[in-house]
Amino acid sequence: MAYIKKGTKAFRKTTLAMFFGGFNTFAIMYSTQPLLPEFSREFHISPAVASLSLSLTTIALAISMLFVGSLSEVKGRKPLMNFSLISASILAILTSSVPNYHVLLLFRILQGIVLAGLPAVAMAYLSEEIEPADLGVAMGLYVSGISVGGMSGRIIIGMLTDFFNWRVALGTVGVLSVLASLLFWYLLPPSEHFQPRPFDIGKLTKSMVNQLKDPSLLCLYGIAFFVLGSFVTLYNYIGYQLIAPPYSLSQTLVGFIFVIYIVGTFSSTWMGRRADMHGRNKMLKIGLLIMAFGACLTLTTLIVIKILGIALFTFGFFGSHSIASSWVGRQAIRDKAQASSLYLFFYYAGSSSGGTIGGTFWETLGWGGVISMILSFLLCALLLSIRLNFISPFNQHTKTTLTLQKANC
């Protein structure tokens, strides 16, 4: 069977379906992020405890993805992704009617478990079905759906919380997610290159151990941990700063801060293309440095400069994630689903760890403490990307290819 190539109808349907899938997953996953100050006020809990409504979801998702990728080897890629999106959407609606914070956390854990089906399998599906030369663009469009979902969900949550309450806001996101799930099911072509295999726990364990022996993949996993840990930390606690003096913004205005996510829609695709042209490692380093510069700009008290810093930080994040995630699909020679699952395990483990630890920095050191933690994470990611220069065969192949292309021009 031929691979799906850019410019074909199948490519457009695949990338649009993945766009809706990414939109759905991240609108649900991060729906509680702008509500953290509301939870602190209504349930009388600290910012760090309020952050558990996100951190427990992401850690449940991270653990589930270690097994869901292998389950897709048996059940198929598309059926598992369909189940993931529909069930998570229904749970999102149910979460809006919980009686207390403890039950809310239980529902959020369940959401994390079922949400694992899409991110754990999406990268494997794309790497199997898309023409390798076009994988960077396809992955960039999928990540664009993630950015739009994260942005739209937060804006809707902020506005509806101001006009009604957080329960109406969460229920509305759930209904929109059901619609996005149906579009995903309709548009995504069935797998053509997927070969089902029986579930074997021993083989699964061996496969994961083998992936962890690859030093290049280990670096990419570490980068994923530190990059998302930084990103979630900033967005978890910026709301606390903006609703307090001297800004005193409303939930609606804080929600509209997430319009900045639109730059991620552009950067994920644009940097994915630049990485295909100029080398992944070079563009990855640039993305990390942009994140660090943007984070530093948020230390200013001027709201315009602060928002510019958030925009640059977001641009660098989505570009870096797009590059690193597609790199995993190419670096893994076999058992791509397991490689993707491990990447996303570290990715969301970083979200859970950074997001909650950041609350301690916020409570003790304020915004400067949050930024110092973020810069420490980004330094670790940059050191890992430098290490990739010397150990990644794929990176060396890319450099050789680019050299030959320039020589032939």
Side-chain angles (χ1 to χ4, degrees):
M1 293 290 182
Y3 288 106
I4 297 174
K5 296 183 179 181
K6 185 171 63 174
T8 63
K9 182 179 179 180
F11 185 87
R12 290 190 293 271
K13 290 179 68 175
T14 300
T15 52
L16 186 58
M18 285 297 179
F19 179 91
F20 282 121
F23 174 95
N24 189 357
T25 301
F26 284 80
I28 293 173
M29 188 184 307
Y30 290 103
S31 60
T32 62
Q33 192 174 47
L35 297 176
L36 300 188
E38 288 290 312
F39 293 158
S40 290
R41 182 174 54 81
E42 181 168 333
F43 297 114
H44 308 291
I45 54 179
S46 69
V49 174
S51 74
L52 292 176
S53 64
L54 178 58
S55 296
L56 290 179
T57 304
T58 52
I59 196 62
L61 179 140
I63 295 170
S64 298
M65 283 192 301
L66 294 176
F67 307 98
V68 169
S70 294
L71 186 60
S72 74
E73 304 280 6
V74 180
K75 299 296 184 181
R77 311 296 193 205
K78 183 175 177 179
L80 195 60
M81 289 189 286
N82 287 336
F83 171 79
S84 170
L85 295 177
I86 290 292
S87 56
S89 300
I90 294 171
L91 280 169
I93 296 173
L94 295 176
T95 303
S96 65
S97 60
V98 295
N100 56 57
Y101 189 65
H102 293 92
V103 178
L104 186 145
L105 291 181
L106 175 62
F107 273 69
R108 292 289 291 167
I109 291 171
L110 293 174
Q111 280 183 323
I113 293 171
V114 298
L115 275 173
L118 184 93
V121 179
M123 286 196 290
Y125 175 93
L126 290 174
S127 63
E128 288 173 347
E129 305 299 327
I130 300 295
E131 177 72 30
D134 301 323
L135 182 59
V137 175
M139 190 64 71
L141 290 170
Y142 164 59
V143 176
S144 295
I146 291 173
S147 68
V148 172
M151 175 191 70
S152 302
R154 289 165 169 90
I155 292 172
I156 292 168
I157 290 288
M159 291 180 63
L160 293 179
T161 298
D162 255 357
F163 285 105
F164 301 99
N165 56 58
W166 64 266
R167 296 179 185 275
V168 172
L170 286 180
T172 302
V173 168
V175 172
L176 292 175
S177 296
V178 170
L179 296 177
S181 300
L182 295 175
L183 287 169
F184 176 88
W185 170 81
Y186 173 75
L187 290 169
L188 190 70
S191 298
E192 296 292 343
H193 298 88
F194 169 74
Q195 296 294 327
R197 294 185 291 180
F199 183 76
D200 186 335
I201 187 64
K203 188 174 182 179
L204 169 62
T205 303
K206 182 179 179 181
S207 171
M208 288 191 173
V209 170
N210 287 337
Q211 303 290 359
L212 291 172
K213 290 179 180 178
D214 185 328
S216 298
L217 287 175
L218 279 176
C219 286
L220 291 169
Y221 298 157
I223 289 168
F225 180 96
F226 291 116
V227 166
L228 189 61
S230 302
F231 186 73
V232 169
T233 298
L234 186 140
Y235 275 99
N236 268 6
Y237 302 104
I238 190 67
Y240 284 97
Q241 188 182 43
L242 293 177
I243 64 173
Y247 308 105
S248 301
L249 300 183
S250 67
Q251 278 288 350
T252 298
L253 290 176
V254 171
F256 270 101
I257 293 295
F258 294 101
V259 170
I260 293 169
Y261 261 53
I262 200 68
V263 304
T265 306
F266 168 74
S267 72
S268 57
T269 305
W270 186 82
M271 289 191 71
R273 287 172 177 160
R274 300 286 83 72
D276 289 340
M277 294 168 56
H278 304 297
R280 295 179 180 277
N281 204 301
K282 178 180 179 180
M283 295 307 299
L284 178 58
K285 291 189 184 73
I286 290 173
L288 294 172
L289 291 173
I290 291 173
M291 286 183 72
F293 180 64
C296 291
L297 286 182
T298 67
L299 291 170
T300 181
T301 56
L302 295 174
I303 187 70
V304 174
I305 303 299
K306 188 180 291 288
I307 292 173
L308 174 62
I310 297 171
L312 287 172
F313 183 82
T314 304
F315 182 97
F317 165 74
F318 279 102
S320 299
H321 172 46
S322 175
I323 293 168
S325 58
S326 62
W327 196 336
V328 169
R330 295 191 177 194
Q331 184 69 38
I333 299 173
R334 58 179 65 86
D335 298 322
K336 293 180 182 291
Q338 283 74 37
S340 298
S341 295
L342 282 169
Y343 173 86
L344 292 169
F345 170 79
F346 284 96
Y347 184 71
Y348 292 112
S351 170
S352 298
S353 303
T356 300
I357 294 170
T360 303
F361 279 86
W362 166 252
E363 292 168 24
T364 57
L365 299 173
W367 189 246
V370 172
I371 296 303
S372 67
M373 193 201 97
I374 288 172
L375 292 177
S376 298
F377 271 36
L378 292 176
L379 176 60
C380 292
L382 185 61
L383 291 174
L384 289 172
S385 71
I386 293 171
R387 176 64 176 155
L388 275 171
N389 275 336
F390 305 100
I391 62 176
S392 174
F394 178 77
N395 190 56
Q396 295 302 322
H397 171 72
T398 302
K399 289 180 179 179
T400 302
T401 303
L402 290 171
T403 301
L404 291 173
Q405 287 175 345
K406 290 177 181 178
N408 292 330
C409 290

